[in-house]
Structures are given as C-alpha cells and as structure tokens.
Amino acid sequence: MTEPVGPPAPPQHWQADVLASDGGVVRLRPITSGDAEALERFHGALSDRTRYLRYFGPYPRMTPKDLHRTTNVDYRDRVGLVIELGSVIIAVGRYELLGDRPGPRAAEVAFVVADEHQGRGLGSILLEHLAGAAAENDIETFVAEVLAENHTMVTVFREAGYQVQRSRDGSVLHLEFAIDPTEALLSVRDSRERASEARSIRNLLAPRSIAVIGATPATGRVGGAVLANLLSGVFQGPIYPVNPNRAAVRGVHTYPTVRDIPGELDLAVVAVPAEEIKSVLDDCLAKGVKGLVVLTAGFSETGPAGYHAERDLVDAARRHGMRVVGPSALGIANTDPDVSLNATLAPVLPGRGRAGFFCQSGPLGAVILAEAAERNLGLSTFVSAGNRADVSGNDLLQYWDNDTDTDLVLLYLETAGNPRRFSRIARRVARSKPVVMVSSGRNAADVRAGGVQRSVARDLFAQAGIVQVDTISELFDCAMLLAYQPLPRGARSAIIGNSAALGWLAVDAARGEGLQIGEPVDLGPQAQPQDYLHAVTAAMDSTDVDAVIVIFAPPVPVDVTPFAHAIAAGAESGGKPVLTTLAAEHGMPDSLAVRGAGGRFERGSIPSYSDPERAARALARARRYAAWRTQPIAKVVRPDDLRTGTARELVRQWMIRAPAGEWLGDLEAAELLACYGIDVVDFREVDDPQAAVEAAAAIGYPVAAKATGELWRNRPDFSGVRLDLWRATGVHRAYTELAELSGNRTVHIQAMATKGLGCVLRVEDDPSFGSVIGFGLSGPIIDMLGDRAYRALPLTEADARELIEAPRAAPLLDGRAGGRSIGEPVDKDALIELAQRISALCDDLPEVRELSVEPVLASPAGAAILYARVRIGPEPSRFDIGPRRLG
C-alpha cells in the first residue's frame, strides 16, 4: 500500500531578502497553504480602489475556493509568491499556466501590493522573481490582463525591460511578453539594484535621528566613545542616549529603551554586550528603526555559536526591513556639513574630502583613519563593517557610484564576499572613479605551483579596472595621487631633482614599473626655487612628458616652503600629474607638499612621498588605471557559425545519462566543441591493430598513435605517443606497443598537426567567481612557475586579446625571447578566436563545468587542438544573474 503523496515542498532557493526602491528590506518567499489567514487579512485591508484595479470589480472578501486555490500551488504550473514585512504580508504575486494555449508554455501573471506599500517597487520585484521561477519551469511567455486605467501596473510591465506586445479589448489591455532575459532586461535589473542599494546606504549615512544604545559617560567604553564622537561632531539631528540606569549622559537626557524615544528613529548604534542584543533588537524592530550599526563584538569571530547568533541577528533585522553594519564594526562617518556624522570609535577623523573609504576590519579602521588624517587625505564618507554580516563593500560601491561628493573609492577587504558581483559593480564604478583596493588575501582564490603564486582574484580584479595594492601604505600612496592630481595621459615621465643619486634611483624604479623615462634633469645641489620653477614649467609644457616626479634633497637643512611653492607654481601650467619627494629634515614626507588655492587640500594639491620609489610605484599604478579607463567599452562578440541548439540537445541527452555529471568521452568532447567551430585535429578511437591501420588510411598519412587514460595524457616524456607514422606497419607496431604499455586496448590514431608552440586554454568552475578561463604556454616548467593568466567569462574581444598576451611567457608567441627574435610569430588571432569560441560555449551551456584544450599547437598557420576534455554537471546556482536579492 502506497502512502498518500503530500503537497509539494516550496523551493527554498526562491526565498530572498530584497531591497525596495526606498532602500528598505523586504522578504520574498513562496506562498504556502499556511498563509490562508494572513492572505485573507491582507486582502481585507486593501482599499476598494486597489481591489477594483486588481480584480476588475468589487471583491470585498476572497471566497474559500479562491483562497484555497491561491495558497495551494504546485510550484510549477501554478506559483505564488508573497512579500512580507515582519510577519505581515504586504504584496502577493502569482502565475498560472495557460494549458489550452498552443505553442511554447505560457502563463498568466498578476500581483497586488498593499496600499501603504505602493510606490516602493514591490510589483517590479514580484515580476522579476515570478519570471525567474517560470524560467525554471520551462515557461517562456507571460500574459497579463490589466485595466487600461491601471496606469501603475501598465508602467510596471512597460519599464521592466521586456518587449511587451499590447492589444485592447474595451477597457482591458492584453499584455504579452517573452521572459527570456535580454540585455535590456538585465540593464533595467542592474539599474534598479544600484538605485535601491545606494538608497539603503544613504539611509544609514544620512540619518535624521540616532539612538546610542548602551551610552555611558566613560569614553574608555564603546558606548561612551561613540556618544562623545557624535556629540563633538555636531550631528545635525537629535541624539538619543539609551541607558536604563542613568537619567542623563554627558548632559543629554537618556531613555530606558528605544521604545521610549519620542518620534521616528532612523539609526540605532548598538554598544551593549552580545548577550543583550536580542532584547535590544526587539525594541528596534518595534520602533521601526531603519538601520543598525552594531559595534558589539562576540559574534562570528568567536566560533560556530557566535556565527549562528550573527546570522539570527541579520535575519531578524532584514525580516523587519533593516540593514545592519557590523557586528564588530568601528562605525560609520559622513563629513557632509549638513550631516556631520561621526558614529565611530576612532579618536581621530579626517577632514572633509572626496574619498569614500570602506574597511572590513574594525581595529584596523582606527589606524586607517589616523593615517588618512596624518596624510591630509580628506574623506566624504567612511564605513567600517567589521564582520560584514549584511552591509558589504558591494553596497558601498553602489552608493559611491552616483555620489556627487565622492571622486575616489578606497577599500580594505579581508574577503571580497561575492567576488563575481564585486567585479561586475567595480568595473562599472571604475569607469568614472578610481577604485583602490588592498586585500589581506585571507580567502583569495590562488593558484600555486612551485612556490610561485598567481592569483586568480588579482587577474580578475585587474580585468575590472581595480587599482590593486599590497599594503595600507601603498593604498594611501595611490590615494594621495588619485585624489588630488589628474590621471597621466601616457607613460612618458620626467624626473627633476637636485640629487643625481636619488634621480637615478627614481629612474630605475620608474622603468621597473613600466614607465618611460629618459635621463633625469639634475639641477645640482645648489638649486634654488627659481630653478625648480623653470624646470617644472618646461616639463609641463613639453609634449614629450605625461607626468613629473620632483625630488628635493638639500645638502643642508633649509626651509622647504619656497621650493614647494615654486614646484606648485610650475605645475599650474599643464594638466599633468606632479609628485614630489621632499627629503629635507623639516619636510613633509607622505603628506601633501602643497595645498591648493586658499590653502585647502583639494584638486591640484601636490602629494609628497618619503622616497622616489614609492612615488614611481604610485604613478605607475595610476598610469595602468588610466590606460584601462581610456579603452573603449568592448562588447562580447559571438561568432556567426555556432550550432547552439545542437549543443544544448547533446548536453541534455548526456545529463539524462548522468544526472550527477561526468567527464565526456574524447569523441563526445570533440563533437560538442565542433558545434562551436572548435575543431580537434582529426582522430579515431580504435581497439585493435587492424582498425588502427584502417583509421590511418582514412585520415591520411602521416599520423600519430596515442595511448589513452589519465596517466598518459600530456606526459612530458612522450612515452605514450608515437609520432610521424608513414606506413601501415609502423601504425600496427605502434598500436601493439601502446596497448601493451598502457594496459588499455583503446588507442587514438590522429592526423599529424603542424608543429608549433604548445599552449593550454582551460575553463574551471571557481567557487568565488564562477566560470574562469585561464591561458598559458604548456609544459611542466611553465606549470611549476604558475605562469597563467585568468579572465572571467564571458570574454569581450579585448578580454580575449589581453588573456592571450598576459602571461610572462607570451613574448614567445611573437617569436621573441629576452628582447631578441627567435623565430616567426604565431597566429595570435587564431588563439584569440579560440578563446572567444570557448567563452561562448561555456556561457551558453552552464552545465559545462570544466573544459580544457591541451596542447594547442600555435603556429603561423593557426592553432591546432590535439586534445580536449569536457566535464558536465548540474547547472550551478547563478544568483548573480537572476532576480535581485541580498547576499
């Protein structure tokens, strides 16, 4: 006797926390049969007008039949989603399959939003997630019936990015559109995501009112330090200390709990022990606080129990619409005079400036702020997110992208969170604002070979235009240049100074960083300010100079000020970056040498470095960033001769055979690659000597015979290969030897390819970045050195070219080594096209989890693939390209 089948389980991966257009968090999840009472209350609370627009007539109460049908769905042909705030449903969406419709599977879609939450973009969120669920269930088209007077709903569909077809029957509009994600649709999604995340951060950084929970008069304690900083920073709104044991703190009236505070409250800064967080959180949820800054430590950094407590904190906050900075945060700051927010523990806060700074580490944040102040680097905003349980660097990038008060983004990250999404956002931001990042590398996706490290993350972040540095000092070295000086237009640099030794030291450092330097201009140890003025002016006026490094190292102590003013006066004559090294006893190393107009630190101020090597490194990084930024935005170019449909059908059949995935056979791999115009050199699989001879005759002599099996693939000693076989007897003998040697009767007979330089292209499923393609020359020495370049997929034409030219051994492709010619260049365009075709294949077929072509013999005649391997598996979760959601 079979047991009765229960209702289908709701897909858990459909649940998501999503940002509304006002920056508040809402929770979206599949509807269940247990939602009947809550749905009935939701419907009853709708206005008559909203019910009329949704149901085309009066509908004061849902019938039991409709209520049951709405809440009892199969999550395939009938799907329902709800959006909640706390435990209250505030929006409902559904689709239902149109079973009597010919052609591709289509479903009718509809949704309704509570009156008080209309205008928050919840309809667009429901449509996105319903389309995502429908795509999983092989539904290709949505249909909607909308009253023509329902302008809001018509706008939701029109502005979603779909190609909507419209027809009208009286007062009803019939809308129909394919839900396949198009470039326009993804652009709309990204734009909405950017706007909502920026708004959520703006809510945190520009609150109208703040509560300090755990406020105390002792500045040696967390609650006392942050309250003192808020009060001394002249915050432009009310500050409410919360302490049940005191009537006042620092002369400010206190409140026993957050619930007792009068009026609305935007931000709560939490400084109570971890074990008291839950009660504090309950109060904040009841009060309707928009954001939390949790300075309290004792969460995920303490172990599994702390991690679970941290997740519970974030889950509860998001469920009630709040964002969380922290825990273990140093705090947040906004130097805008209209806000004057210093909700940090830092004793020193830099002045007003145009650099935004995100720091993951709490303790290090105070050090960073102190160094920024010492170097006179002003900040617009600062966020130290500590454990980064919710608000992350991605959120701040979205905010700074369109923040008119921020020209430069500085990041200290211990991990990049979702690196794929981080790279996507950073690439967009870096097109208009430099993004400088130092990472501790604690979780970097590195490839190590022979003790030499080549970081996948470093290559992919460079692809996104991020200026990467290794230390906090280097971060500030770059920041001082990028914040106050123009970007160099080229690599040609002039070095001016009064010390020949320091001048040549600077020349060597600059050339080592790829800058073009002639002989330094030596003004001599007796140089006067006027000499510097003339020399700097001449360099600024020269059409052969793109940047200037000025060195001042007097033989005896002198006043630096006249020389600094002379350098500044000379720099005024042209839009080129100027850097200085003021090596004087009373100089200002690592700070700004010269202020701008009015004595303020602003654009045009000239940075100074303690030694010329640091100046050269900073200039070189600025030059590489400028070169990246001036490149036109390339698009992904797909070849015209792709047989995508055939490839998808092949993969579908293979996945039926092996649902968990498998390595394809060699012939299957070649068949799949051929669908994308990627041809493996002609070969046959044979199981006896006679078949080997017949295969050789069919292919045409000369041929090669190759043993099969993992042990024999790409061996450096070639013991499993017999080359240049011209006769049947040779093929017969080679088969017999290889079958006996390998213990495997299967042998490959393959046409001889044009000799060339061995290369490898390999796509791997990186846990952080998704599909990553790597390229390098093949061979055990190259493998030991780890000389591989990496790019994220899909590749633009520029990405493909940079990938092929990036390895240190790439000059060999041009027929050069050590600066001299060693042979004819190979056809690099053939390698570039091969990379693009592999990119298209892996982008179209997410079931392809690994792919390698090795060796590829690159020659002047083209690129010949001798061997290919492909592993297929279940399609990975790709939330980064699906409907919007918080991580």
Side-chain angles (χ1 to χ4, degrees):
M1 180 177 178
T2 59
E3 295 185 5
V5 178
Q12 292 303 306
H13 66 280
W14 288 359
Q15 179 171 307
D17 293 327
V18 188
L19 287 174
S21 60
D22 60 3
V25 186
V26 295
R27 175 156 296 174
L28 179 144
R29 61 170 177 81
I31 202 167
T32 69
S33 58
D35 289 320
E37 290 187 11
L39 184 61
E40 193 170 24
R41 288 193 297 271
F42 165 78
H43 180 85
L46 296 174
S47 67
D48 292 340
R49 176 66 176 170
T50 294
R51 284 196 292 262
Y52 165 74
L53 293 175
R54 167 62 182 88
Y55 299 104
F56 299 7
Y59 190 53
R61 294 190 62 184
M62 295 186 75
T63 66
K65 179 180 178 182
D66 284 350
L67 197 60
H68 181 271
R69 185 168 182 81
T70 301
T71 56
N72 289 266
V73 296
D74 60 9
Y75 305 111
R76 175 170 169 77
D77 296 342
R78 287 192 300 118
V79 166
L81 301 176
V82 299
I83 292 178
E84 293 178 312
L85 187 59
S87 58
V88 178
I89 294 176
I90 60 174
V92 180
R94 54 170 288 277
Y95 77 69
E96 184 160 347
L97 184 71
L98 298 171
D100 57 349
R101 177 188 169 104
R105 282 166 58 87
E108 183 176 7
V109 65
F111 39 87
V112 61
V113 178
D115 290 76
E116 63 271 26
H117 291 281
Q118 292 175 10
R120 301 183 67 201
L122 303 189
S124 299
I125 291 171
L126 281 169
L127 181 58
E128 274 186 37
H129 285 261
L130 285 167
E136 288 185 28
N137 292 316
D138 300 319
I139 291 172
E140 299 181 14
T141 302
F142 269 172
V143 173
E145 305 288 339
V146 183
L147 285 174
E149 62 186 286
N150 192 349
H151 303 298
T152 301
M153 193 62 66
V154 172
T155 300
V156 169
F157 288 111
R158 187 180 66 244
E159 295 183 352
Y162 296 106
Q163 299 296 315
V164 180
Q165 297 178 348
R166 301 173 50 170
S167 60
R168 183 163 181 163
D169 182 6
S171 62
V172 178
L173 289 176
H174 176 86
L175 309 177
E176 187 168 327
F177 51 92
I179 61 173
D180 187 46
T182 63
E183 187 172 336
L185 179 64
L186 294 176
S187 176
V188 169
R189 183 210 67 173
D190 291 347
S191 176
R192 287 173 172 166
E193 176 187 70
R194 180 163 67 250
S196 61
E197 291 190 8
R199 179 64 180 272
S200 77
I201 298 302
R202 191 177 302 114
N203 292 342
L204 291 168
L205 289 172
R208 293 167 298 179
S209 55
I210 300 175
V212 179
I213 306 172
T216 174
T219 56
R221 301 179 63 181
V222 172
V226 69
L227 178 62
N229 287 339
L230 279 167
L231 294 174
S232 64
V234 198
F235 174 64
Q236 297 300 299
I239 300 171
Y240 303 107
V242 176
N243 188 325
N245 301 316
R246 291 183 176 272
V249 175
R250 291 185 169 269
V252 182
H253 176 70
T254 64
Y255 296 85
T257 71
V258 170
R259 297 173 194 253
D260 299 311
I261 295 173
E264 295 185 354
L265 183 63
D266 288 343
L267 182 68
V269 181
V270 182
V272 299
E275 58 270 17
E276 299 178 22
I277 287 285
K278 187 179 185 309
S279 62
V280 166
L281 182 62
D282 291 340
D283 290 341
C284 290
L285 301 181
K287 185 64 178 175
V289 174
K290 295 186 176 74
L292 297 176
V293 177
V294 182
L295 308 180
T296 307
F299 287 88
S300 61
E301 74 274 14
T302 64
Y307 171 80
H308 291 300
E310 182 173 292
R311 296 318 307 165
D312 290 343
L313 165 65
V314 173
D315 181 75
R318 286 182 174 180
R319 192 167 63 247
H320 289 78
M322 294 189 294
R323 301 300 307 269
V324 178
V325 176
S328 297
L330 182 76
I332 62 177
N334 185 347
T335 61
D336 183 346
D338 293 334
V339 179
S340 295
L341 172 66
N342 181 9
T344 76
L345 302 177
V348 178
L349 190 67
R352 179 71 171 158
R354 303 192 62 81
F357 207 133
F358 176 85
C359 175
Q360 186 172 340
S361 169
L364 188 59
V367 176
I368 288 173
L369 288 176
E371 183 160 356
E374 183 180 350
R375 292 205 187 197
N376 298 311
L377 179 67
L379 301 182
S380 58
T381 44
F382 170 83
V383 174
S384 163
N387 294 353
R388 203 196 55 195
D390 179 22
V391 170
S392 70
N394 290 342
D395 298 295
L396 271 297
L397 281 171
Q398 300 277 39
Y399 170 73
W400 285 320
D401 187 16
N402 292 317
D403 179 31
T404 56
D405 290 331
T406 301
D407 295 332
L408 169 66
V409 174
L410 306 177
L411 305 171
Y412 174 84
L413 301 177
E414 293 177 354
T415 66
N418 180 341
R420 183 183 179 93
R421 183 166 178 266
F422 172 77
S423 295
R424 172 172 61 83
I425 298 171
R427 181 190 287 239
R428 185 190 67 244
V429 176
R431 282 291 171 186
S432 58
K433 301 177 182 182
V435 178
V436 187
M437 182 183 79
V438 59
S439 172
S440 67
R442 193 172 69 185
N443 199 28
D446 293 333
V447 173
R448 294 174 175 85
V452 179
Q453 174 179 302
R454 178 91 185 196
S455 170
V456 175
R458 183 172 288 274
D459 278 8
L460 269 57
F461 289 157
Q463 182 184 3
I466 299 169
V467 180
Q468 300 175 81
V469 296
D470 298 318
T471 66
I472 295 295
S473 293
E474 289 181 347
L475 181 138
F476 280 109
D477 286 347
C478 290
M480 290 163 60
L481 173 59
L482 295 169
Y484 297 106
Q485 289 288 304
L487 292 173
R489 296 190 182 96
R492 303 167 303 172
S493 303
I495 294 177
I496 299 169
N498 64 344
S499 167
L502 286 177
W504 282 108
L505 191 66
V507 167
D508 290 342
R511 288 174 178 171
E513 293 288 344
L515 298 174
Q516 299 173 16
I517 304 284
E519 289 194 8
V521 177
D522 185 6
L523 301 178
Q526 304 303 318
Q528 297 301 308
Q530 198 70 11
D531 300 318
Y532 274 94
L533 172 64
H534 294 319
V536 173
T537 301
M540 299 297 283
D541 292 342
S542 172
T543 57
D544 297 325
V545 174
D546 299 308
V548 182
I549 297 176
V550 185
I551 302 168
F552 177 60
V556 295
V558 297
D559 182 8
V560 174
T561 305
F563 293 87
H565 285 306
I567 293 168
E572 291 177 355
S573 61
K576 302 173 184 178
V578 177
L579 304 79
T580 64
T581 292
L582 303 179
E585 181 180 350
H586 302 291
M588 295 168 283
D590 301 335
S591 64
L592 291 172
V594 181
R595 303 188 182 196
R600 297 184 302 273
F601 293 110
E602 55 190 24
R603 294 296 292 182
S605 298
I606 300 174
S608 179
Y609 300 86
S610 58
D611 65 71
E613 292 164 304
R614 290 173 63 173
R617 282 195 297 270
L619 179 58
R621 286 187 167 106
R623 169 55 196 152
R624 286 192 287 270
Y625 166 68
W628 175 89
R629 183 163 151 173
T630 55
Q631 292 175 355
I633 299 176
K635 293 186 176 181
V636 176
V637 179
R638 293 171 58 87
D640 297 328
D641 57 347
L642 308 182
R643 293 183 286 124
T644 305
T646 302
R648 283 179 174 153
E649 179 58 25
L650 287 172
V651 171
R652 187 187 70 82
Q653 294 175 9
W654 293 328
M655 287 300 299
I656 292 174
R657 180 183 71 196
E662 64 177 358
W663 285 99
L664 298 181
D666 296 336
L667 291 173
E668 291 172 333
E671 182 182 11
L672 179 64
L673 293 177
C675 294
Y676 278 74
I678 304 168
D679 296 322
V680 179
V681 173
D682 192 14
F683 73 98
R684 307 285 194 277
E685 282 189 354
V686 297
D687 294 314
D688 60 68
Q690 184 56 38
V693 172
E694 292 172 357
I699 292 172
Y701 290 100
V703 297
K706 301 180 179 180
T708 59
E710 286 301 317
L711 183 63
W712 304 98
R713 302 184 196 278
N714 301 317
R715 287 176 63 103
D717 61 6
F718 295 101
S719 59
V721 178
R722 303 292 184 268
L723 302 175
D724 291 311
L725 305 175
W726 286 87
R727 294 181 177 81
T729 54
V731 172
H732 190 288
R733 182 170 59 253
Y735 173 86
T736 303
E737 291 175 355
L738 293 175
E740 180 179 350
L741 179 66
S742 65
N744 186 346
R745 292 183 57 83
T746 301
V747 172
H748 286 177
I749 304 299
Q750 187 172 44
M752 287 295 297
T754 302
K755 289 180 172 57
L757 195 60
C759 303
V760 56
L761 276 157
R762 184 176 294 126
V763 174
E764 296 176 309
D765 196 30
D766 185 89
S768 296
F769 290 94
S771 294
V772 173
I773 187 168
F775 171 76
L777 274 63
S778 59
I781 296 178
I782 297 292
D783 289 341
M784 289 179 64
L785 294 174
D787 187 20
R788 296 280 185 269
Y790 301 92
R791 295 294 184 271
L793 295 180
L795 295 176
T796 65
E797 186 173 2
D799 289 337
R801 183 171 296 279
E802 290 171 3
L803 174 70
I804 301 303
E805 296 178 345
R808 295 187 296 277
L812 293 173
L813 300 173
D814 295 318
R816 301 191 66 79
R820 60 187 180 85
S821 176
I822 59 171
E824 192 174 354
V826 308
D827 183 358
K828 285 202 296 190
D829 288 339
L831 290 172
I832 292 167
E833 181 182 347
L834 174 58
Q836 289 178 288
R837 290 181 179 274
I838 291 175
S839 169
L841 185 153
C842 293
D843 196 43
D844 290 344
L845 307 173
E847 299 88 351
V848 174
R849 308 302 294 273
E850 288 186 60
L851 182 154
S852 68
V853 286
E854 180 183 14
V856 180
L857 297 184
S859 70
I865 301 169
L866 299 189
Y867 188 67
R869 295 216 72 196
V870 175
R871 182 176 68 85
I872 60 171
E875 181 178 350
S877 297
R878 303 175 73 180
F879 289 147
D880 186 56
I881 61 173
R884 287 172 284 164
R885 63 175 61 221
L886 288 171

